[in-house]
Structures are given as C-alpha cells and as structure tokens.
Amino acid sequence: MRLAIVRTIVRKELRETLRDRRTLMMMIVLPVLLYPLMIMGFGKLQASQREATEERTSRVAVWGGAPAEMMNALGADGKLRLDIWDDVPAEIRSQLESGTLHRPALVDRQTEASREPISRRQTEERKREADSPVHPAARAIIESRKADAVLVFWPGASDAVSGEGAGQVSVYFDSVREDSVEARQRVVDRLNEFRGTLVAGRQRARGLDAGFSTGVDVRSSDVAPQSRRSGLVLGLFLPFILVTMSLLGGFYPAIDLTAGEKERGTMQTLLCAPLRPIEIITGKFLAVWIICLIAALANVVSLGATVMRIVPGEQLSVSPLTLAMAFVMLLPVTFLFSAVFLALASFAKDFKDGQNFLTPVYMALAMPAGVSMLRGIELNAWTAFVPVVNIALLIKALLLSDAAADLVFLTLVSSTAYAVLALLLAARVFEREQVLLGGRDTMRGLFGLERSGATSPSPSLAIAAFGGVMVLTFYVSLALEQAGIVTTLLVTEYGFFLLPTLAAIAAFRFSFCETLSLRRPPLLGFVAAVLIGGSAWTFAGGVLIRLLPPPESLVKAMERLLLLDGSDAPLWVVWLVIAITPALCEEFFFRGLALSGLRKLGLWPALLVTALIFGLAHASIYRLLPTMFIGLLLTWLVWRTGSIWTGVIGHALNNGIAATLVYRPELAKLVGADESAFLDWRITLAGSAVMVAGLLVLGRAPRPSGLPPAHDPAMTQRRAA
C-alpha cells in the first residue's frame, strides 16, 4: 500500500467534503446550536410544568374524625382543599365512625422463598399494607381524579392527639401522578409541622427534653399498582427510543429509492416507462413504509425482551399486550415519517445530498418525542394534536394504563390526518417530473396553488382542507374555552368552516354555484330533507348509540352544549346557534367544498369519505358512528338533489330537535325520550319508519334542471366504471 497515495486521497475527500456548506452546518453549527437549545428548552418546559403543579391547589379527601386543630394546620397555607368524607363508600364511613375499621398492618412484599440480602431502604420500600377496603376505595377516586390524595384519620386518632397518645393517620396517593405526589408531600409537611408543635407542647408541659415523643404517626401508602410504577420508568425512555428508531428505519430507504436512483440513473428509466406517477409513488411509499414498520416491530420486540430479561420479576415489567398496542400506535407515525422522507428526498441530486436534506428533518421529527421523558407531561386534549408528541405520549399512557378512549381516538385521528397530508405532498412531488429529474419548481406549483382553470376542487385539496381546518378548529376551540360556549361555537363555525370555504373557492377561482351546489331543490327533495332531518336522530339515538354507549360525562357535556351552558336564552336563539349556524357553515364545508372535490372519486367513495370526515370532525369516538350515519344521509340528500339546501334543512332539523328536547323536558317526556339513557324502542321504530319514508321520497325526486355533468350521479357512476 502506498501511503502517499492514501494521504492524497484523504486530503482530496476532506477538502471536497468541507467545501460543502451544508456538511459544515450538519457537522459543526447544528450540534453547537441544537443541544443547548434542546436542553434549555426541556429545562424550561420542566420548570414551567413544576411551577404549574406548585400553583395548583391540591384536592384531598378527608375520611374519619379529625381534630379541629389538625384540620386548621392542614389548611393554614391555602394549598390544600380539604373535602370531608368526600366520595367515601358508605360502608367504610360507617366502619370508621363506629371504630370497627383499624389501620392495617404492614406486610413484606417479598415471598418467603426469596432470602437474598437487601438493604434497610429496600426493606422499607418493599413493605405494603395488608388487605383493607380503604386501599382500593382510595385508589378508585385518585385514579378517577376526583381527588389528588386521600387522608384517613383512623378511629381514636382525635382522642390520641388530644391526650398523650399517637393518632394514626394514613395518606393514600398515586406515585405516578405528579399532582398526587405533590398533594402527599403537602399533607405530610403540614402534619410534620403540626406534630412538631404538638410534641414541643407536650414536652414543655412535662418538662421533657426535645424529641421525647412522636405525637402523630403518619404513614404514606402508594395506591399505584406495580404495573403503573413499571410503566412510569419505561415511559421515560421507551416512547422516545421507539419513535426515533422507527424514524431511522425509513431514513436510508427513502434516500435510496429517490436520490439513490437519480445517482444510479435509474429514475429516468422509471419515468420513461408507461407508468402513472401515482403508481410510482404508491409503490415506493409502501416499500419505505414496510421497512419502517419492520424496524418499529424489531425495536418493540427487542426492547420488550431486553427489559424482561435484564430486569425480571415485579420490579419492572411490561405485558406483551401493551407492547403490541405500542406497535399499533406506531402505524400512523411511521406512515407520516415515510411520506415526509420520500417527498423531501426527491429534491436531492444524489445520496449524499439526500442525507443533507433529511438529517435536519430527522432531528426535527425526533426531538419532540423527547417530551415524553419529562415527568408531568401527559396526553391531553392539547397534546393529542401535536405531531409525533401525541404518539410518544400515547405510548407512555399505555405503559401507565392511563389512556382514555377519547384521547386515543383524537391522537389516532390527528396522526392519520397528518400522515395523509404528508402522503399528498409526496404524491404532488412525484407528479412534478422536473423535480424528479433534478430541476427546480416553484412553491405554488409544488403545492398545487397555481390556478389551473378548474371549476371545482380536487380530492387532494378537499382532504388537505379538512386536515387543516380540523387541527386549527380544535386548538382555537380550546383557546376559546374561557369565552363561553356561544362565542366558541360562533367563532368556530363562521371563522373556521364557512370563511375558509368561501376564501378557498374565491382564491382558486372555482365556481361558487358548482362547488357549493347552490341550486333550488325539487319539491320532493325538500320533503325528503324534512322527513329525514326530522327523524334520523331516532335511529342514531335508539340503535347506534347502544353499540358504543357514551360515558355520563359526555352526555352531561352534550346537554350543557345544547342548553348553551345553562344560559337563559330563548329557544329561537338556541336554534340559531345550535341548529342553523352549524347547518349552514358545516354543510358549506362538508357537503360543499369537500363533496365537490371527492365526487370525482365516484358515488360510494365520495359518500363514505364525506361521511367519515364529518364524523371525525366531531372529535369523539362515542359520537363517531351516529354522526357518520347522519353525515351519510345528508351527503346522499345533496348528491341526489344536487342542492346544498337539502343538507342544510336536514342538518338544522336534526340539531334543532335534539336541542328542543333538552331545552323542553316536558316535550322529551311526552315522546318518551327521557325514560332511560337510550331512546325508547317505540320512538326508535316510529322515527325509523319516517326516515325510510323520506328515503323513498328522495328516490323519486327528480334532478333539478341545469345540473352539470359533474353533479350527475348517473354520469359519475358511468365515469367511475
């Protein structure tokens, strides 16, 4: 080997590499800026989270007879809200008051078969209370978040404190919840201060030295089961590793299938073949996604096996079912990664250029997942719509057995929406041959913002508009919570459904009449809209709701919404806000802009997709099926009559009747709609018969004159065939 030649080659490669400013950015500038920003950002976030926890008042349920002076000491600083006998089961209260229920003894968690030497601290941590009805009762109200902690004064505690004994007190808390840990610490601190004062008084009265007596025997009992404690430890690192390694699985395949093909000269050959761009992008996307899924599966299996092998037993464990669910949660996020990588790698000229393009994107997508490593950051209504973060926090919630059905639904819906938008971007890139051949393109051309002369939107524009409106509407509605229900509804409907619809039609110079189906409906179409809109709610409320019954909290929330949060507004105002406004604004968006774009897919795809996005927009898994059903009927009304006004009429009647029945309980009682949580079967059958009659009338309704071919159901079916 000639070392001189080697040195020459090394100098040449280093010189060429260092001449690339993007390489210097990735090697030096980005790490120098990235890590300080990341550490400071996470530090600030953790500090703000801690400050928020400290600012909140802890809710403590107090069970048992407590001395007045001790209660005064607990509430002295105003950080504890003490709820006497709050949510205590009647049997436990009776036993505490009668003195028949005593504090359970401590037992050792370790089995007699294990004789390994352990430290004193490990021995204390291994202790737990013997079986007692108080423990599961306290766990139930803490896990339901009715209280942050439960403070139990056992029988005789008041007399012992007043005399010279030691009153027995227990604090039940959840070590996984930050608010519960904070509540426990506050209670213990206040009791320790009271104990110090009590002991000092006893010592002075007896002339004893300091430290002679205990006064109050305080014990804390963690109600979090072993699975949740294991989930807390695993949830700090497992979601981040799974997300980042899944990212890495699609990184190099996306570059190789785009920039790599350009470098090898095979991209031009592929484009010259008699293939459609959508076929090329679909094949490449599925290949990258499959590789990404394999990487995700390998990581889930490997991490699960490693955890169970290295840390066996009850100290740290995770069930195979939880790992399987974590893998399922990775499906939409790997979909997103694959589409984004494939779209952006298409702009690169060669493999090296592709790495420079995607490395910042990889870091930008991976960094948000690190939020899951911070204590106190949980999946909620806000974080459920943050890309990547929502999946990481959802996996963490699964490990903690703390994933609410509605939040899982919102997370999957939002992640799927982002993934579809990313795939639409990738498809758009592959339609621009100048990009695939190494040329340049304008941003307007890339995102399809140039005016093409079309009179109605495309399916991709309809889906993209739905994704953008859904995310924006959700966040704005959360920000407007303090403004009241009426303001939130009006701003959401007019500002984020109607206004964007009209603005998009004007910006792209679509035909308002054709896009929104602004035509007078035929008489039979009007009659069908009245019959269907006035009766469809009976089938949805009598049959579909029974398939997935909503929780009581959702029912109460819907009642508050329909009553405008208890305002004294007259019924006509309720109809204006709850019925007419959503009917006008949502119909213009879903049965106007969205259906106009989706109808190019054919009859059934347009009907089903429009109904699906209408159901998803209502952001509740419990409302999804009945809302989709109503949306399907409204879509068929507009499709069959060619008029948006039939959908508006049906929508307004559906919402208005529901609001009227809640607003006028005597009417609900008259029709038998208040007898149980579900609609009475007699009303269900009668209303369903009226709905079927409406569908039969709709089938006989003639299409209005002047209906363009794009709105002709028969013509669309022939085109689809």
Side-chain angles (χ1 to χ4, degrees):
M1 180 184 295
R2 295 174 292 180
L3 296 180
I5 300 298
V6 173
R7 286 194 299 269
T8 301
I9 294 176
V10 169
R11 286 197 301 267
K12 177 246 183 193
E13 297 296 340
L14 287 175
R15 184 167 57 249
E16 291 183 355
T17 300
L18 295 177
R19 283 176 179 171
D20 191 342
R21 286 177 296 178
R22 285 173 296 189
T23 301
L24 291 175
M25 178 70 70
M26 296 303 306
M27 290 173 55
I28 301 173
V29 179
L30 188 61
V32 169
L33 296 176
L34 176 64
Y35 295 117
L37 289 175
M38 183 174 64
I39 294 173
M40 287 189 297
F42 283 166
K44 292 279 188 183
L45 183 60
Q46 184 68 71
S48 63
Q49 184 72 20
R50 181 60 189 164
E51 290 173 1
T53 301
E54 292 176 349
E55 285 294 323
R56 287 193 288 268
T57 301
S58 299
R59 299 167 298 173
V60 179
V62 180
W63 298 351
E69 61 270 26
M70 191 177 294
M71 293 295 292
N72 293 334
L74 288 169
D77 62 354
K79 289 293 186 179
L80 295 174
R81 192 185 82 184
L82 305 173
D83 298 325
I84 310 300
W85 296 113
D86 192 39
D87 291 299
V88 60
E91 182 179 0
I92 292 178
R93 178 169 183 172
S94 174
Q95 292 177 355
L96 287 174
E97 290 178 334
S98 64
T100 58
L101 182 63
H102 300 283
R103 184 166 72 172
L106 291 177
V107 297
D108 199 331
R109 294 177 185 270
Q110 191 173 10
T111 61
E112 293 296 327
S114 176
R115 299 296 183 184
E116 297 177 2
I118 55 176
S119 65
R120 177 181 178 182
R121 180 180 177 182
Q122 288 174 321
T123 302
E124 294 175 352
E125 291 177 347
R126 216 175 53 215
K127 297 286 186 180
R128 65 172 177 84
E129 286 187 349
D131 293 337
S132 167
V134 176
H135 194 278
R139 175 192 296 175
I141 72 166
I142 293 174
E143 288 186 348
S144 64
R145 311 207 176 201
K146 295 179 181 178
D148 296 318
V150 176
L151 177 61
V152 179
F153 290 89
W154 299 98
S158 182
D159 294 337
V161 171
S162 301
E164 295 183 354
Q168 292 186 333
V169 182
S170 292
V171 183
Y172 294 86
F173 73 105
D174 187 341
S175 62
V176 174
R177 279 187 55 207
E178 198 71 13
D179 287 339
S180 186
V181 173
E182 180 69 18
R184 177 253 186 188
Q185 191 59 48
R186 288 173 177 175
V187 170
V188 171
D189 289 343
R190 299 293 83 76
L191 290 179
N192 283 337
E193 292 175 4
F194 175 81
R195 179 169 55 190
T197 303
L198 179 65
V199 170
R202 290 179 177 181
Q203 291 167 349
R204 286 193 301 270
R206 292 284 185 175
L208 300 174
D209 295 333
F212 179 82
S213 174
T214 300
V216 177
D217 182 9
V218 180
R219 177 193 300 169
S220 297
S221 182
D222 187 0
V223 298
Q226 182 61 42
S227 59
R228 280 175 57 80
R229 290 195 292 269
S230 298
L232 177 63
V233 176
L234 296 174
L236 294 178
F237 67 90
L238 190 60
F240 177 72
I241 293 176
L242 291 177
V243 170
T244 53
M245 297 307 293
S246 299
L247 262 168
L248 194 59
F251 184 88
Y252 289 105
I255 298 175
D256 186 63
L257 294 182
T258 51
E261 287 210 19
K262 289 183 183 180
E263 189 173 10
R264 295 189 296 268
T266 55
M267 180 67 77
Q268 293 83 346
T269 304
L270 188 62
L271 294 176
C272 291
L275 302 174
R276 297 177 181 176
I278 190 63
E279 295 170 341
I280 298 175
I281 181 59
T282 302
K284 289 181 176 292
F285 166 76
L286 290 177
V288 175
W289 192 36
I290 289 171
I291 295 173
C292 211
L293 287 180
I294 293 173
L297 180 60
N299 279 279
V300 169
V301 173
S302 178
L303 278 173
T306 301
V307 168
M308 289 185 283
R309 176 66 180 86
I310 296 179
V311 193
E314 294 185 355
Q315 297 178 1
L316 195 65
S317 61
V318 57
S319 68
L321 179 60
T322 301
L323 292 173
M325 293 180 65
F327 172 71
V328 173
M329 297 304 107
L330 287 173
L331 295 181
V333 79
T334 53
F335 196 104
L336 171 65
F337 296 158
S338 302
V340 170
F341 284 164
L342 201 60
L344 297 182
S346 300
F347 290 91
K349 295 177 294 185
D350 51 35
F351 200 93
K352 176 184 174 183
D353 204 31
Q355 288 179 308
N356 291 334
F357 266 96
L358 293 193
T359 301
V361 179
Y362 174 84
M363 292 184 176
L365 291 174
M367 282 177 55
V371 172
S372 63
M373 294 189 290
L374 302 177
R375 288 180 64 98
I377 306 296
E378 299 178 342
L379 183 66
N380 53 39
W382 286 91
T383 55
F385 273 74
V386 180
V388 183
V389 172
N390 54 4
I391 293 296
L393 292 179
L394 178 54
I395 295 175
K396 181 178 180 180
L398 290 174
L399 293 171
L400 293 174
S401 302
D402 199 23
D406 269 0
L407 292 179
V408 174
F409 174 74
L410 287 177
T411 300
L412 294 179
V413 167
S414 63
S415 297
T416 303
Y418 293 132
V420 170
L421 291 176
L423 185 58
L424 292 175
L425 172 62
R428 186 65 185 175
V429 170
F430 269 73
E431 290 177 355
R432 317 296 287 189
E433 288 192 6
Q434 59 266 41
V435 174
L436 297 181
L437 295 176
R440 299 294 180 183
D441 197 4
T442 63
M443 294 299 292
R444 292 180 64 87
L446 177 62
F447 288 99
L449 300 179
E450 73 276 9
R451 296 183 176 92
S452 60
T455 58
S456 61
S458 63
S460 59
L461 178 60
I463 297 298
F466 166 70
V469 167
M470 183 178 179
V471 174
L472 183 62
T473 300
F474 184 81
Y475 277 121
V476 172
S477 63
L478 286 176
L480 291 174
E481 279 185 341
Q482 302 302 321
I485 286 180
V486 175
T487 302
T488 301
L489 280 174
L490 294 179
V491 171
T492 300
E493 295 293 342
Y494 288 104
F496 300 105
F497 280 105
L498 183 60
L499 184 60
T501 299
L502 300 179
I505 295 173
F508 289 99
R509 297 182 181 177
F510 298 143
S511 168
F512 277 87
C513 182
E514 182 178 342
T515 303
L516 298 179
S517 300
L518 298 176
R519 293 173 185 82
R520 186 176 63 183
L523 179 60
L524 289 181
F526 174 81
V527 173
V530 172
L531 292 176
I532 294 173
S535 61
W537 61 274
T538 59
F539 184 82
V543 177
L544 300 181
I545 288 293
R546 283 183 164 88
L547 300 179
L548 186 61
E552 185 179 355
S553 59
L554 179 60
V555 175
K556 297 296 183 183
M558 290 301 300
E559 289 180 358
R560 289 197 302 271
L561 174 65
L562 295 174
L563 292 175
L564 301 182
D565 203 16
S567 66
D568 296 328
L571 185 58
W572 69 268
V573 174
V574 175
W575 267 75
L576 179 63
V577 176
I578 297 297
I580 298 175
T581 291
L584 183 67
C585 300
E586 293 179 13
E587 288 305 304
F588 270 42
F589 181 82
F590 289 103
R591 256 64 64 177
L593 180 69
L595 180 59
S596 180
L598 294 171
R599 69 170 58 247
K600 296 179 176 63
L601 301 177
L603 173 60
W604 286 109
L607 292 181
L608 294 176
V609 174
T610 304
L612 175 61
I613 63 176
F614 181 70
L616 294 176
H618 289 77
S620 173
I621 190 173
Y622 301 104
R623 298 173 61 190
L624 179 61
L625 192 57
T627 309
M628 277 186 61
F629 173 73
I630 299 295
L632 187 64
L633 294 178
L634 296 177
T635 306
W636 177 237
L637 271 170
V638 176
W639 182 286
R640 184 66 182 79
T641 63
S643 174
I644 193 73
W645 303 117
T646 55
V648 172
I649 293 170
H651 196 152
L653 286 174
N654 179 79
N655 288 14
I657 291 174
T660 302
L661 292 178
V662 174
Y663 195 85
R664 301 290 190 191
E666 63 275 11
L667 291 179
K669 185 176 182 180
L670 182 64
V671 300
D674 66 334
E675 296 178 1
S676 67
F678 306 109
L679 197 62
D680 186 85
W681 280 111
R682 294 169 297 177
I683 304 299
T684 301
L685 294 175
S688 299
V690 175
M691 180 186 68
V692 171
L695 291 172
L696 294 175
V697 171
L698 181 62
R700 292 181 172 271
R703 286 179 286 110
S705 59
L707 191 66
H711 288 71
D712 188 339
M715 179 66 72
T716 304
Q717 286 179 311
R718 288 196 295 270
R719 287 179 177 178

